[in-house]
Amino acid sequence: MFGIINFEAFVIAGILLNLTPGADTMYILGRSISQGKKAGILSVLGIVTGALVHCVFASLGLSIILAKSALAFEIVKYLGAAYLIYLGIKTLLLKSKEEFELTEKNKDVNYRKIYVSGILTNVLNPKIALFFLAFLPQFINPDYAQNSIPFLILGLTFVTTVTIWCLFLAVFSSKLSNQIRKNYKIKIWLDKITGGIFIALGIKLALSKK
């Protein structure tokens, strides 16, 4: 249907890929553990929004530019790496308070920024775009290669499974963090670990190759 082949195999492969820890997974876990469930969920929504952007780009063929242009790939890669490192440094420099408000209405947390950060973290990762271009065509009939519909269907299917898995991670990890975050010293270390994760992800992205 719509030029899609082996759809069941695609779904299974997509789920297995979701279970493999990656940059998005670490980003979500970092947000959930250090800032709570709402922050984790919004980071998931941001990541998913970024994935949808890549999905649309792939279906329109725009991501091919990243695959064929070394300069374009390098520019987007370093922008993404710089942004992740910036997030990490900013988190490391946060001044923790002696007491914490553990409610979801914590005024110190800018949830809009968390959502936008999730989008930028995903959109500025060119390897995500290349993933869509390399993975999706394997399940599309060559006769439909110029048709955007099969790309959209497969892309949206993958994004759906990603959303379900990441929401589970965000909620589960935030439940553990509610107990951990009651301890002042542990909260400080969580911030440092989260900042370190962001910096490490940025360096890894900067050193990555096509």
Side-chain angles (χ1 to χ4, degrees), residues 27-78:
Y27 176 81
I28 293 167
L29 288 176
R31 288 295 192 187
S32 300
I33 293 175
S34 64
Q35 295 176 298
K37 181 173 71 175
K38 186 172 182 177
I41 291 175
L42 284 173
S43 67
V44 171
L45 296 179
I47 292 294
V48 170
T49 302
L52 287 174
V53 172
H54 283 297
C55 177
V56 173
F57 279 6
S59 67
L60 296 177
L62 298 180
S63 293
I64 295 177
I65 296 176
L66 290 177
K68 294 186 176 181
S69 173
L71 177 60
F73 180 89
E74 292 296 312
I75 291 175
V76 175
K77 181 181 73 173
Y78 287 121

Side-chain angles (χ1 to χ4, degrees), residues 140-153:
I140 296 177
N141 188 316
D143 295 334
Y144 290 78
Q146 304 300 320
N147 192 330
S148 63
I149 293 180
F151 278 94
L152 282 175
I153 293 176

Side-chain angles (χ1 to χ4, degrees), residues 84-169:
L84 284 171
I85 293 173
Y86 162 76
L87 287 178
I89 294 175
K90 186 177 179 181
T91 302
L92 288 175
L93 297 178
L94 284 177
K95 294 182 179 180
S96 300
K97 295 183 178 180
E98 293 183 0
E99 295 181 357
F100 305 102
E101 298 177 13
L102 298 179
T103 62
E104 292 185 347
K105 295 182 179 179
N106 190 340
K107 296 181 180 180
D108 294 331
V109 181
N110 190 323
Y111 294 113
R112 181 176 178 276
K113 285 186 177 181
I114 291 174
Y115 173 70
V116 173
S117 294
I119 296 176
L120 294 177
T121 298
N122 194 281
V123 169
L124 293 178
N125 187 348
K127 299 192 76 173
I128 303 296
L130 296 181
F131 162 77
F132 273 98
L133 285 176
F135 186 61
L136 270 58
Q138 298 180 44
F139 300 90
I140 296 177
N141 188 316
D143 295 334
Y144 290 78
Q146 304 300 320
N147 192 330
S148 63
I149 293 180
F151 278 94
L152 282 175
I153 293 176
L154 292 178
L156 292 175
T157 300
F158 182 76
V159 170
T160 299
T161 59
V162 167
T163 303
I164 295 172
W165 170 242
C166 288
L167 284 175
F168 169 78
L169 285 179

